Amino acid sequence: MPHITVEEGVPGIRSLVLFRPETGKPLYQLAQALLRGPSSIPEAERELIAAYVSSLNNCAFCCMSHAAASRELYGDKREVVDCVIHDGQAEVSKKLRALLQIAAKVAESGKSVLPEHIENARNQGATDMEIHDTVLIAAAFCMYNRYVDGLASFTPTDPEVYREMGVRLAANGYVSPQNSNV
Amino acid sequence: MPHITVEEGVPGIRSLVLFRPETGKPLYQLAQALLRGPSSIPEAERELIAAYVSSLNNCAFCCMSHAAASRELYGDKREVVDCVIHDGQAEVSKKLRALLQIAAKVAESGKSVLPEHIENARNQGATDMEIHDTVLIAAAFCMYNRYVDGLASFTPTDPEVYREMGVRLAANGYVSPQNSNV
């Protein structure tokens, strides 16, 4: 049961944003900029970084919803998502592997990101902007995960709920619930 | 030295927001809504929660700047800030103490916030909205701290820099650097 009184049956962050739209608006705008805005990191990979950090933080709601979005965006290569989340390994590019390593360090602490992790990513072709975006996606999910779990918001268990959520997130991005009928 | 090439001498998050204004805008809007928007938690206490979480995350830049803002807002009672940050104890209300405990749990993990912590805050008069805002301020600083340190952004060491920053933040709130001359 959620720690505060929110609309019943509304899952995860959506229930919290309906409770407090003033903070919900920039939270959704940040997710949209990070995960759907212009970037040389493909959307499928950005969603994968989000799902991976959420799995490290044991946040089931964020992990399952962003993994579902990533699977939709990967299309035929969707099996990559579960490989990364379940054992941190998969047939991904060396660059993405280096970015995932940086994301895991951010989840520990900002100070855990060392020059050698950055250099490794750079050696695999990562740009300053890609390193920036990876660090901020990982940091942002350290916030979203704590927000969702710190208030014990409703976490559906039916995989079909997440599959549908993934389809919606892949198609529409992050639209604050007070601006949508979804 | 910062991990990516940002404007030299610009401290902390400001350098990162100048590097990537698209994500900087919602980051500043979130800080403004959380720390200066309408709330029954006084601004001085919200800044203190931010500084306290930043100290737990060992983020010197965020801790020193938000502690400075909190001192300005506390005015005559500014000694409270250092007591809370340095030993977690101070002559604060039982309600604020309970909210600081929740914030510390959020810094560990969202799942560390237990019904007993919420009940304790409620018994001291905390409302759903105050509990919500405390959890989100703490979660947001788990992001800002990781963003600032994960990219090794410039952290001034001169206390006078933070004192001036505190005066400015207390007076003007959170204005994205691309919208100001500060």
Side-chain angles (χ1 to χ4, degrees), chain B residues 18 41 68-69 77 97-98 108 119 139 146:
Chain B
L18 289 169
I41 307 177
K77 294 183 177 171
R97 194 169 300 154
E108 276 177 24
E119 200 186 329
R146 283 167 169 80

Side-chain angles (χ1 to χ4, degrees), chain B residues 51-104:
Chain B
Y52 178 54
V53 168
S54 301
S55 79
L56 295 176
N57 286 329
N58 293 312
C59 181
F61 175 78
C62 295
C63 181
M64 289 193 279
S65 52
H66 293 281
S70 183
R71 279 186 208 104
E72 291 304 317
L73 292 160
Y74 265 113
D76 289 348
K77 294 183 177 171
R78 62 180 59 207
E79 74 281 357
V80 162
V81 176
D82 291 282
C83 294
V84 167
I85 290 173
H86 292 136
D87 60 12
Q89 295 294 322
E91 291 295 311
V92 297
S93 68
K94 286 184 178 171
K95 185 169 95 176
L96 179 55
R97 194 169 300 154
L99 294 177
L100 287 166
Q101 185 189 35
I102 290 173

Side-chain angles (χ1 to χ4, degrees), chain A residues 3-5 19-20 22-23 26-27 29-30 33-34 38 58 106-108 110-111 113-115 118 122 128-129 131-133 135-136 139-140 142-143 146-147 149-151, chain B residues 3-5 19-20 22-23 26-27 29-30 33-34 38 58 106-108 110-111 113-115 118 122 128-129 131-133 135-136 139-140 142-143 146-147 149-151:
Chain A
H3 289 321
I4 59 175
T5 304
F19 178 84
R20 185 66 146 135
E22 302 88 340
T23 49
L27 287 173
Q29 285 172 340
L30 179 63
L34 280 172
N58 292 311
V106 170
E108 277 178 23
K111 291 204 160 48
V113 182
L114 303 179
I118 303 294
R122 248 189 250 294
D128 268 17
M129 190 60 85
I131 291 167
H132 169 280
D133 286 5
V135 168
L136 186 50
C142 289
M143 168 179 68
R146 283 168 169 80
Y147 185 37
D149 282 339
L151 289 166
Chain B
H3 290 320
I4 58 175
T5 304
F19 177 84
R20 185 65 146 136
E22 302 87 342
T23 48
L27 287 173
Q29 286 173 338
L30 179 64
L34 279 173
N58 293 312
V106 170
E108 276 177 24
K111 291 205 160 48
V113 182
L114 302 179
I118 303 295
R122 249 190 249 293
D128 268 17
M129 190 60 84
I131 291 167
H132 169 279
D133 286 4
V135 168
L136 186 50
C142 288
M143 167 180 68
R146 283 167 169 80
Y147 184 37
D149 282 339
L151 289 165

Side-chain angles (χ1 to χ4, degrees), chain A residues 145-160:
Chain A
N145 297 164
R146 283 168 169 80
Y147 185 37
V148 160
D149 282 339
L151 289 166
S153 67
F154 171 50
T155 297
T157 51
D158 179 0
E160 182 58 19

Side-chain angles (χ1 to χ4, degrees), chain A residues 90-100 120-121 123-125:
Chain A
E91 291 295 312
V92 297
S93 68
K94 285 183 179 172
K95 184 169 94 176
L96 178 56
R97 195 169 298 154
L99 295 178
L100 287 168
N120 178 33
N123 289 341
Q124 307 305 336

Side-chain angles (χ1 to χ4, degrees), chain A residues 12-76:
Chain A
I13 194 166
R14 296 180 75 81
S15 65
L16 307 177
V17 164
L18 288 170
F19 178 84
R20 185 66 146 135
E22 302 88 340
T23 49
K25 195 177 159 196
L27 287 173
Y28 267 75
Q29 285 172 340
L30 179 63
Q32 179 69 15
L34 280 172
L35 302 175
R36 292 294 178 280
S39 164
S40 53
I41 307 178
E43 293 181 9
E45 296 186 5
R46 287 184 264 165
E47 289 283 1
L48 181 55
I49 294 169
Y52 178 55
V53 168
S54 301
S55 78
L56 296 175
N57 286 329
N58 292 311
C59 182
F61 175 78
C62 295
C63 180
M64 289 193 281
S65 52
H66 293 282
S70 183
R71 278 187 208 103
E72 290 305 317
L73 292 160
Y74 265 113
D76 288 348

Side-chain angles (χ1 to χ4, degrees), chain A residues 83-94:
Chain A
C83 295
V84 167
I85 290 173
H86 293 135
D87 62 10
Q89 296 294 323
E91 291 295 312
V92 297
S93 68
K94 285 183 179 172

